Amino acid sequence: DAKTTQPPSMDCAEGRAANLPCNHSTISGNEYVYWYRQIHSQGPQYIIHGLKNNETNEMASLIITEDRKSSTLILPHATLRDTAVYYCIVRVAVSSGSARQLTFGSGTQLTVLP
Amino acid sequence: DAGITQSPRHKVTETGTPVTLRCHQTENHRYMYWYRQDPGHGLRLIHYSYGVKDTDKGEVSDGYSVSRSKTEDFLLTLESATSSQTSVYFCAITGDSSYGYTFGSGTRLTVV
């Protein structure tokens, strides 16, 4: 699976958009970008994933650059409850592969400030 | 999350004693995983299962064993607990048509 690079920490004002970047310059053509988050003391939570098109769901939007070497997770109106560690993971589709393991890096600690 | 539960939620045990953690799912998912999380190390895969009686090792499997005799249950056993196994343990599940993983709420294990 491709390696990802994320900033260790970011702050965001409550009500503003939080934009979390992820670099994945070695991504292969069949690898997806997945985002998870982990709120303190809880299990990680799936947010969104994408291959090459931008994606949006009720939680967030995912913007993937045309060359697919980087992406940005956007929380449109951050709340205090969005304070968490956000993980960007690149791997082949979860629906394929013999073991479907997820490898977590260090992630980005997002702190939403009141 | 609904559909996956871990037990116990907290446990304190003594060095050298055996400990078994349980992960139970009601989603009928094929794949189940055990991770541990420690400060400075993030989430690390211990063992995983891709079906009943089908298991394999992750990156930090030493000192741990697993069993999966039923689709719904995945057990993690520490044969002889050591202080280095003090950690938070998370179970995760995913299915053939799933895009994401669902994680349990975790088990906080302290070995004294």
Side-chain angles (χ1 to χ4, degrees):
Chain A
D1 297 334
K3 181 179 172 60
T4 62
T5 303
Q6 299 178 252
S9 64
M10 294 181 64
D11 293 339
C12 176
E14 188 177 19
R16 305 295 294 268
N19 298 283
L20 293 97
C22 180
N23 286 322
H24 32 80
S25 58
T26 60
I27 191 170
S28 300
N30 63 344
E31 288 182 316
Y32 286 70
V33 180
Y34 292 86
W35 283 85
Y36 283 76
R37 73 179 183 183
Q38 187 174 24
I39 296 170
H40 182 63
S41 298
Q42 298 181 21
Q45 176 190 24
Y46 166 81
I47 302 172
I48 199 168
H49 77 284
L51 182 62
K52 55 183 178 181
N53 297 321
N54 298 338
E55 303 287 345
T56 296
N57 63 20
E58 65 278 4
M59 290 182 66
S61 294
L62 173 60
I63 309 297
I64 302 174
T65 58
E66 190 169 346
D67 63 8
R68 304 211 319 123
K69 293 184 177 182
S70 65
S71 60
T72 301
L73 178 75
I74 301 173
L75 309 178
H77 304 287
T79 71
L80 298 179
R81 288 177 293 181
D82 291 322
T83 292
V85 177
Y86 288 77
Y87 297 98
C88 171
I89 300 168
V90 172
R91 59 149 294 144
V92 295
V94 173
S95 58
S96 68
S98 61
R100 311 183 184 191
Q101 302 168 43
L102 275 182
T103 301
F104 288 81
S106 302
T108 296
Q109 171 66 58
L110 175 69
T111 302
V112 180
L113 304 171
Chain B
D1 271 27
I4 179 171
T5 55
Q6 293 184 232
S7 59
R9 292 296 311 277
H10 302 272
K11 185 171 182 65
V12 179
T13 191
E14 294 186 349
T15 299
T17 61
V19 177
T20 295
L21 309 182
R22 181 186 185 225
C23 178
H24 178 78
Q25 59 142 332
T26 57
E27 304 296 324
N28 200 36
H29 280 340
R30 179 180 175 188
Y31 299 88
M32 299 185 76
Y33 307 83
W34 277 107
Y35 287 86
R36 63 177 287 175
Q37 187 169 36
D38 308 288
H41 289 281
L43 284 145
R44 292 181 292 175
L45 182 66
I46 305 171
H47 280 280
Y48 60 94
S49 170
Y50 45 96
V52 173
K53 295 190 188 324
D54 290 325
T55 65
D56 208 343
K57 297 179 179 180
E59 64 174 301
V60 291
S61 60
D62 287 348
Y64 302 94
S65 62
V66 290
S67 66
R68 189 153 177 219
S69 59
K70 299 184 291 185
T71 298
E72 57 265 36
D73 289 324
F74 192 33
L75 304 180
L76 177 71
T77 298
L78 291 65
E79 300 291 348
S80 178
T82 67
S83 58
S84 64
Q85 294 175 311
T86 292
S87 187
V88 180
Y89 292 85
F90 289 102
C91 177
I93 60 175
T94 191
D96 287 289
S97 59
S98 301
Y99 287 110
Y101 288 55
T102 302
F103 282 81
S105 299
T107 294
R108 184 173 296 275
L109 176 68
T110 302
V111 183
V112 298

